[in-house]
Amino acid sequence: MLPNRAAQADAEVELRLTAARQATSDENLVERIAAGEKLAIQVLFARHHVRVYRFVLRIVKSQTIAEDLISEVFLDVWRQASSFKGVSAVSTWLLAIARFKALSRLRRRIEDQLDDDSAAIIEDESDDPEVTVQKKVNGEILQRVLTELSPEHRMIIDLVYYHEKSVEEVAEIVGIPENTVKTRMFYARKRLAEVLAAHGIDRDAM
């Protein structure tokens, strides 16, 4: 019996995607996207969309909005790939686009004064970003702790520990001076230690 052609085609596409993921750098993918190669945008999406989605979700607090914004982020990547100069990492560029879109959507939602604001803003109970500020701390506890930080401090902790961005990269993504990033990082760590202590976790274990 002949194999289903559609299934065979899907398998071939998956093999191509897997090979491309393993052999191609982010920068090369962006170059190929700029040249109009659709496979390249599929590979870049597969490689980064989960982290970008979780980053956006922490800002907008809505799964539906975050999913919409992810599509917009990678649509912008498709349209703007030729403008990428390689000064920063591709992941940093993606997060900068995502942050701009997430904050723009929040401002629009406030300005429109939507009646269903509170219904749209929901916590993602299943979200487990595996933030590794300290490996001994249970991920779910740490997630709850992070929600108790201010939005500014939470974003800094998120970018540095989860996305492993440098101070310079965080400054580029957030759009603030590097010294401001360092200052926020200092107070974020201090506040995080206080909240962890309140949850019965020894700050020396961080």
Side-chain angles (χ1 to χ4, degrees):
M1 182 177 179
L2 292 175
N4 182 280
R5 290 187 177 181
Q8 188 176 25
D10 289 343
E12 290 176 355
V13 169
E14 184 59 33
L15 285 173
R16 292 171 62 200
L17 283 171
T18 300
R21 290 189 197 110
Q22 296 173 344
T24 309
S25 69
D26 287 345
E27 290 73 19
N28 182 257
L29 285 173
V30 173
E31 291 178 3
R32 289 161 57 184
I33 292 168
E37 185 177 327
K38 292 182 179 180
L39 177 62
I41 190 67
Q42 292 175 340
V43 173
L44 192 73
F45 179 85
R47 188 178 290 176
H48 291 286
H49 80 278
V50 173
R51 282 193 172 189
V52 176
Y53 168 78
R54 287 172 173 167
F55 176 69
V56 169
L57 181 61
R58 290 190 191 94
I59 298 175
V60 300
K61 299 292 192 302
S62 167
Q63 293 175 345
T64 302
I65 294 175
E67 289 168 359
D68 289 343
L69 291 178
I70 288 301
S71 297
E72 293 182 17
V73 168
F74 283 92
L75 181 59
D76 270 16
V77 170
W78 176 258
R79 292 170 173 169
Q80 301 174 17
S82 60
S83 67
F84 179 70
K85 305 302 180 184
V87 176
S88 59
V90 171
S91 59
T92 300
W93 181 52
L94 289 173
L95 291 175
I97 295 173
R99 177 181 177 273
F100 175 79
K101 286 191 171 295
L103 294 180
S104 296
R105 179 64 67 90
L106 282 181
R107 283 193 293 268
R108 191 189 320 159
R109 188 166 61 187
I110 293 172
E111 290 168 358
D112 291 344
Q113 297 181 339
L114 297 179
D115 293 334
D116 59 350
D117 241 11
S118 58
I121 302 176
I122 58 175
E123 292 292 336
D124 180 18
E125 298 294 340
S126 64
D127 185 39
D128 180 17
E130 300 176 359
V131 184
T132 55
V133 178
Q134 212 295 325
K135 292 182 180 179
K136 294 180 182 179
V137 179
N138 181 277
E140 293 181 2
I141 295 176
L142 185 54
Q143 268 302 97
R144 291 197 296 271
V145 168
L146 288 176
T147 64
E148 297 183 33
L149 301 181
S150 69
E152 293 80 8
H153 289 167
R154 186 165 59 246
M155 183 175 292
I156 296 296
I157 291 289
D158 184 30
L159 288 170
V160 171
Y161 287 101
Y162 177 64
H163 294 281
E164 300 180 347
K165 294 301 179 184
S166 66
V167 169
E168 182 180 2
E169 289 173 321
V170 172
E172 181 179 347
I173 292 168
V174 180
I176 58 178
E178 290 183 30
N179 285 339
T180 303
V181 173
K182 293 177 183 177
T183 299
R184 289 187 184 179
M185 192 67 214
F186 172 79
Y187 285 108
R189 283 172 171 160
K190 181 179 178 182
R191 177 57 183 154
L192 184 60
E194 292 171 354
V195 177
L196 286 171
H199 282 264
I201 302 170
D202 187 0
R203 73 178 287 173
D204 291 335
M206 291 181 61

